[in-house]
Amino acid sequence: MSTALLLIDPQVDFHEGGSLAVPGAIEDAQRIAGVIEALGASIDAIYVTLDTHQRTHIAHGLFWEDAEGEHPAPFSIIRYHFCGSLPAEASLDRIDSRENAQCGGR
């Protein structure tokens, strides 16, 4: 059996003084280093993920637009009902509408 350590999105910015500082991030990094130091000989692989923020990612307003080509304001809650896979024509004019609650509704 192999043993792997998975580190999910560690960032310098999460540490004290960083733009996205999280209380306890330094202590978390020290604990992770301690685990690697103590168990390194028995860890077969260490994988580190990278959180990316592509401008065209579905979580960003630029992904969505209404019939006039406008993008939602920051922090908008976007709800989209669809059946099957997300259609290419996903847009704000079909978001959070009770009439669109059934498949194929326009």
Side-chain angles (χ1 to χ4, degrees):
M1 176 170 54
S2 297
T3 301
L5 176 62
L6 175 62
L7 303 176
I8 300 173
D9 194 24
Q11 293 185 28
V12 173
D13 282 345
F14 292 155
H15 290 84
E16 186 177 313
S19 63
L20 302 168
V22 176
I26 293 173
E27 292 81 6
D28 289 342
Q30 291 169 337
R31 281 190 287 277
I32 292 168
V35 166
I36 293 170
E37 190 172 286
L39 303 175
S42 62
I43 298 173
D44 299 303
I46 299 175
Y47 299 98
V48 182
T49 67
L50 172 63
D51 181 19
T52 61
H53 299 270
Q54 304 293 327
R55 291 175 52 98
T56 57
H57 188 273
I58 192 170
H60 293 278
L62 290 177
F63 180 86
W64 299 96
E65 63 180 41
D66 62 16
E68 289 78 39
E70 298 295 319
H71 302 288
F75 308 110
S76 294
I77 295 174
I78 298 175
R79 292 184 180 93
Y80 182 81
H81 176 82
F82 62 93
C83 296
S85 60
L86 186 64
E89 71 275 4
S91 64
L92 288 176
D93 61 338
R94 295 179 51 196
I95 294 173
D96 205 18
S97 170
R98 298 291 176 207
E99 298 85 40
N100 294 327
Q102 297 178 359
C103 292
R106 292 262 180 206

Short mmCIF file of all heavy atoms in Angstrom, two decimals, residues 4-45:
data_model
loop_
_atom_site.label_atom_id
_atom_site.label_comp_id
_atom_site.label_asym_id
_atom_site.label_seq_id
_atom_site.Cartn_x
_atom_site.Cartn_y
_atom_site.Cartn_z
N ALA A 4 0.12 8.69 0.50
CA ALA A 4 0.30 10.00 -0.12
C ALA A 4 -0.22 11.07 0.82
O ALA A 4 -1.15 10.86 1.58
CB ALA A 4 -0.44 10.06 -1.45
N LEU A 5 0.39 12.23 0.75
CA LEU A 5 -0.06 13.39 1.51
C LEU A 5 -0.59 14.39 0.49
O LEU A 5 0.09 14.72 -0.49
CB LEU A 5 1.10 14.01 2.30
CG LEU A 5 0.80 15.29 3.06
CD1 LEU A 5 -0.26 15.07 4.12
CD2 LEU A 5 2.09 15.83 3.69
N LEU A 6 -1.81 14.86 0.70
CA LEU A 6 -2.44 15.81 -0.20
C LEU A 6 -2.58 17.15 0.52
O LEU A 6 -3.24 17.25 1.55
CB LEU A 6 -3.82 15.31 -0.64
CG LEU A 6 -4.66 16.25 -1.49
CD1 LEU A 6 -3.96 16.54 -2.81
CD2 LEU A 6 -6.04 15.65 -1.72
N LEU A 7 -1.94 18.18 -0.03
CA LEU A 7 -2.03 19.53 0.52
C LEU A 7 -2.90 20.34 -0.44
O LEU A 7 -2.56 20.49 -1.62
CB LEU A 7 -0.65 20.17 0.65
CG LEU A 7 0.35 19.40 1.51
CD1 LEU A 7 1.70 20.08 1.49
CD2 LEU A 7 -0.17 19.29 2.94
N ILE A 8 -3.99 20.86 0.06
CA ILE A 8 -4.94 21.57 -0.79
C ILE A 8 -4.75 23.07 -0.66
O ILE A 8 -4.99 23.66 0.38
CB ILE A 8 -6.38 21.16 -0.46
CG1 ILE A 8 -6.54 19.66 -0.67
CG2 ILE A 8 -7.38 21.96 -1.30
CD1 ILE A 8 -7.85 19.09 -0.22
N ASP A 9 -4.28 23.67 -1.73
CA ASP A 9 -4.18 25.11 -1.91
C ASP A 9 -3.47 25.87 -0.78
O ASP A 9 -4.01 26.84 -0.26
CB ASP A 9 -5.58 25.69 -2.13
CG ASP A 9 -5.55 27.10 -2.67
OD1 ASP A 9 -4.53 27.47 -3.29
OD2 ASP A 9 -6.51 27.84 -2.45
N PRO A 10 -2.26 25.45 -0.40
CA PRO A 10 -1.54 26.27 0.56
C PRO A 10 -1.00 27.52 -0.14
O PRO A 10 -0.49 27.43 -1.25
CB PRO A 10 -0.40 25.36 1.01
CG PRO A 10 -0.15 24.49 -0.16
CD PRO A 10 -1.49 24.29 -0.83
N GLN A 11 -1.18 28.68 0.46
CA GLN A 11 -0.73 29.91 -0.17
C GLN A 11 -0.05 30.81 0.84
O GLN A 11 -0.48 30.90 1.99
CB GLN A 11 -1.91 30.70 -0.75
CG GLN A 11 -2.60 30.06 -1.90
CD GLN A 11 -3.67 30.99 -2.46
OE1 GLN A 11 -3.57 32.20 -2.38
NE2 GLN A 11 -4.70 30.41 -3.05
N VAL A 12 0.98 31.49 0.41
CA VAL A 12 1.64 32.48 1.25
C VAL A 12 0.63 33.56 1.64
O VAL A 12 0.64 34.06 2.77
CB VAL A 12 2.85 33.10 0.51
CG1 VAL A 12 3.44 34.25 1.29
CG2 VAL A 12 3.91 32.04 0.27
N ASP A 13 -0.28 33.89 0.73
CA ASP A 13 -1.28 34.93 1.01
C ASP A 13 -2.18 34.58 2.19
O ASP A 13 -2.80 35.47 2.77
CB ASP A 13 -2.15 35.18 -0.21
CG ASP A 13 -1.47 36.04 -1.26
OD1 ASP A 13 -0.45 36.68 -0.93
OD2 ASP A 13 -1.93 36.07 -2.40
N PHE A 14 -2.29 33.31 2.54
CA PHE A 14 -3.13 32.91 3.68
C PHE A 14 -2.43 33.14 5.02
O PHE A 14 -3.06 33.09 6.06
CB PHE A 14 -3.53 31.43 3.57
CG PHE A 14 -4.47 31.14 2.44
CD1 PHE A 14 -4.52 29.87 1.89
CD2 PHE A 14 -5.31 32.11 1.91
CE1 PHE A 14 -5.40 29.57 0.84
CE2 PHE A 14 -6.19 31.82 0.87
CZ PHE A 14 -6.23 30.55 0.35
N HIS A 15 -1.13 33.37 5.00
CA HIS A 15 -0.38 33.59 6.23
C HIS A 15 -0.49 35.04 6.70
O HIS A 15 -0.85 35.93 5.93
CB HIS A 15 1.10 33.21 6.03
CG HIS A 15 1.29 31.74 5.89
ND1 HIS A 15 1.13 31.09 4.69
CD2 HIS A 15 1.61 30.80 6.80
CE1 HIS A 15 1.34 29.80 4.86
NE2 HIS A 15 1.64 29.60 6.13
N GLU A 16 -0.17 35.23 7.96
CA GLU A 16 -0.22 36.57 8.56
C GLU A 16 0.49 37.59 7.68
O GLU A 16 1.61 37.35 7.22
CB GLU A 16 0.43 36.53 9.94
CG GLU A 16 0.32 37.81 10.71
CD GLU A 16 0.92 37.68 12.11
OE1 GLU A 16 0.62 36.68 12.79
OE2 GLU A 16 1.68 38.58 12.49
N GLY A 17 -0.18 38.70 7.41
CA GLY A 17 0.38 39.73 6.55
C GLY A 17 0.02 39.55 5.09
O GLY A 17 0.23 40.45 4.28
N GLY A 18 -0.55 38.41 4.74
CA GLY A 18 -0.94 38.15 3.35
C GLY A 18 -2.26 38.81 3.01
O GLY A 18 -3.02 39.22 3.90
N SER A 19 -2.56 38.90 1.73
CA SER A 19 -3.78 39.57 1.30
C SER A 19 -5.05 38.80 1.67
O SER A 19 -6.13 39.37 1.69
CB SER A 19 -3.74 39.81 -0.21
OG SER A 19 -3.68 38.58 -0.90
N LEU A 20 -4.92 37.51 1.96
CA LEU A 20 -6.07 36.68 2.35
C LEU A 20 -5.78 35.97 3.68
O LEU A 20 -6.12 34.80 3.85
CB LEU A 20 -6.36 35.64 1.26
CG LEU A 20 -6.66 36.17 -0.13
CD1 LEU A 20 -6.63 35.05 -1.16
CD2 LEU A 20 -8.01 36.87 -0.14
N ALA A 21 -5.16 36.68 4.60
CA ALA A 21 -4.69 36.08 5.85
C ALA A 21 -5.80 35.34 6.60
O ALA A 21 -6.92 35.83 6.72
CB ALA A 21 -4.10 37.16 6.74
N VAL A 22 -5.46 34.15 7.07
CA VAL A 22 -6.37 33.31 7.84
C VAL A 22 -5.71 33.04 9.19
O VAL A 22 -4.56 32.57 9.23
CB VAL A 22 -6.61 31.96 7.11
CG1 VAL A 22 -7.47 31.04 7.95
CG2 VAL A 22 -7.22 32.19 5.75
N PRO A 23 -6.41 33.34 10.28
CA PRO A 23 -5.82 33.07 11.60
C PRO A 23 -5.43 31.60 11.73
O PRO A 23 -6.19 30.71 11.37
CB PRO A 23 -6.95 33.41 12.58
CG PRO A 23 -7.84 34.35 11.83
CD PRO A 23 -7.75 33.91 10.39
N GLY A 24 -4.22 31.34 12.20
CA GLY A 24 -3.75 29.98 12.41
C GLY A 24 -3.03 29.37 11.23
O GLY A 24 -2.56 28.22 11.32
N ALA A 25 -2.91 30.08 10.12
CA ALA A 25 -2.28 29.52 8.92
C ALA A 25 -0.81 29.18 9.16
O ALA A 25 -0.32 28.15 8.67
CB ALA A 25 -2.42 30.47 7.73
N ILE A 26 -0.11 30.02 9.91
CA ILE A 26 1.30 29.74 10.19
C ILE A 26 1.43 28.47 11.01
O ILE A 26 2.27 27.60 10.71
CB ILE A 26 1.97 30.94 10.90
CG1 ILE A 26 2.03 32.12 9.92
CG2 ILE A 26 3.34 30.57 11.44
CD1 ILE A 26 2.52 33.42 10.54
N GLU A 27 0.59 28.34 12.02
CA GLU A 27 0.62 27.13 12.86
C GLU A 27 0.25 25.89 12.04
O GLU A 27 0.83 24.82 12.23
CB GLU A 27 -0.32 27.29 14.05
CG GLU A 27 0.13 28.33 15.05
CD GLU A 27 -0.22 29.77 14.66
OE1 GLU A 27 -0.93 29.99 13.64
OE2 GLU A 27 0.22 30.69 15.36
N ASP A 28 -0.70 26.04 11.13
CA ASP A 28 -1.05 24.91 10.25
C ASP A 28 0.14 24.49 9.40
O ASP A 28 0.42 23.30 9.26
CB ASP A 28 -2.23 25.27 9.33
CG ASP A 28 -3.55 25.39 10.08
OD1 ASP A 28 -3.66 24.88 11.21
OD2 ASP A 28 -4.47 26.02 9.52
N ALA A 29 0.83 25.46 8.83
CA ALA A 29 2.01 25.15 8.01
C ALA A 29 3.10 24.48 8.84
O ALA A 29 3.77 23.55 8.37
CB ALA A 29 2.55 26.43 7.37
N GLN A 30 3.26 24.91 10.08
CA GLN A 30 4.24 24.28 10.96
C GLN A 30 3.85 22.84 11.27
O GLN A 30 4.71 21.95 11.30
CB GLN A 30 4.39 25.10 12.24
CG GLN A 30 5.06 26.43 12.01
CD GLN A 30 4.98 27.37 13.22
OE1 GLN A 30 4.11 27.23 14.07
NE2 GLN A 30 5.90 28.32 13.26
N ARG A 31 2.55 22.59 11.47
CA ARG A 31 2.10 21.22 11.72
C ARG A 31 2.32 20.34 10.50
O ARG A 31 2.73 19.18 10.61
CB ARG A 31 0.62 21.20 12.14
CG ARG A 31 0.40 21.58 13.60
CD ARG A 31 -1.03 21.32 14.03
NE ARG A 31 -1.96 22.29 13.44
CZ ARG A 31 -2.20 23.50 13.96
NH1 ARG A 31 -1.57 23.88 15.06
NH2 ARG A 31 -3.06 24.31 13.39
N ILE A 32 2.04 20.87 9.32
CA ILE A 32 2.26 20.11 8.08
C ILE A 32 3.74 19.77 7.94
O ILE A 32 4.10 18.63 7.63
CB ILE A 32 1.75 20.89 6.86
CG1 ILE A 32 0.23 20.98 6.90
CG2 ILE A 32 2.22 20.23 5.56
CD1 ILE A 32 -0.36 21.98 5.91
N ALA A 33 4.61 20.75 8.19
CA ALA A 33 6.06 20.51 8.12
C ALA A 33 6.46 19.45 9.13
O ALA A 33 7.30 18.58 8.84
CB ALA A 33 6.82 21.81 8.35
N GLY A 34 5.86 19.48 10.31
CA GLY A 34 6.15 18.48 11.35
C GLY A 34 5.75 17.08 10.92
O GLY A 34 6.48 16.11 11.17
N VAL A 35 4.60 16.96 10.28
CA VAL A 35 4.15 15.65 9.78
C VAL A 35 5.12 15.13 8.73
O VAL A 35 5.52 13.96 8.75
CB VAL A 35 2.71 15.74 9.21
CG1 VAL A 35 2.37 14.50 8.40
CG2 VAL A 35 1.70 15.96 10.31
N ILE A 36 5.51 16.01 7.81
CA ILE A 36 6.45 15.59 6.76
C ILE A 36 7.79 15.20 7.36
O ILE A 36 8.39 14.19 6.98
CB ILE A 36 6.61 16.71 5.71
CG1 ILE A 36 5.29 16.90 4.95
CG2 ILE A 36 7.74 16.37 4.74
CD1 ILE A 36 5.26 18.13 4.06
N GLU A 37 8.23 15.96 8.34
CA GLU A 37 9.52 15.66 8.99
C GLU A 37 9.44 14.33 9.74
O GLU A 37 10.35 13.50 9.66
CB GLU A 37 9.88 16.79 9.96
CG GLU A 37 11.29 16.71 10.51
CD GLU A 37 11.63 17.96 11.30
OE1 GLU A 37 11.84 19.00 10.69
OE2 GLU A 37 11.66 17.85 12.55
N ALA A 38 8.35 14.11 10.47
CA ALA A 38 8.22 12.91 11.29
C ALA A 38 7.93 11.66 10.46
O ALA A 38 8.41 10.57 10.78
CB ALA A 38 7.12 13.11 12.33
N LEU A 39 7.13 11.80 9.40
CA LEU A 39 6.67 10.64 8.65
C LEU A 39 7.20 10.58 7.22
O LEU A 39 6.78 9.72 6.44
CB LEU A 39 5.14 10.62 8.61
CG LEU A 39 4.42 10.62 9.96
CD1 LEU A 39 2.93 10.73 9.77
CD2 LEU A 39 4.79 9.38 10.76
N GLY A 40 8.10 11.49 6.88
CA GLY A 40 8.59 11.59 5.51
C GLY A 40 9.06 10.29 4.91
O GLY A 40 8.82 10.02 3.72
N ALA A 41 9.71 9.47 5.68
CA ALA A 41 10.22 8.19 5.16
C ALA A 41 9.10 7.24 4.75
O ALA A 41 9.29 6.39 3.89
CB ALA A 41 11.12 7.53 6.19
N SER A 42 7.91 7.41 5.33
CA SER A 42 6.80 6.51 5.01
C SER A 42 5.80 7.14 4.04
O SER A 42 4.81 6.50 3.67
CB SER A 42 6.08 6.07 6.29
OG SER A 42 5.52 7.19 6.94
N ILE A 43 6.04 8.37 3.61
CA ILE A 43 5.16 9.02 2.63
C ILE A 43 5.76 8.79 1.25
O ILE A 43 6.88 9.17 0.97
CB ILE A 43 5.04 10.54 2.92
CG1 ILE A 43 4.40 10.77 4.29
CG2 ILE A 43 4.21 11.21 1.83
CD1 ILE A 43 4.39 12.23 4.73
N ASP A 44 4.98 8.15 0.38
CA ASP A 44 5.46 7.82 -0.96
C ASP A 44 5.36 9.00 -1.93
O ASP A 44 6.13 9.08 -2.89
CB ASP A 44 4.67 6.64 -1.52
CG ASP A 44 4.85 5.40 -0.65
OD1 ASP A 44 6.01 4.99 -0.46
OD2 ASP A 44 3.84 4.87 -0.16
N ALA A 45 4.40 9.87 -1.69
CA ALA A 45 4.21 11.01 -2.60
C ALA A 45 3.53 12.14 -1.85
O ALA A 45 2.73 11.92 -0.94
CB ALA A 45 3.36 10.61 -3.80
#
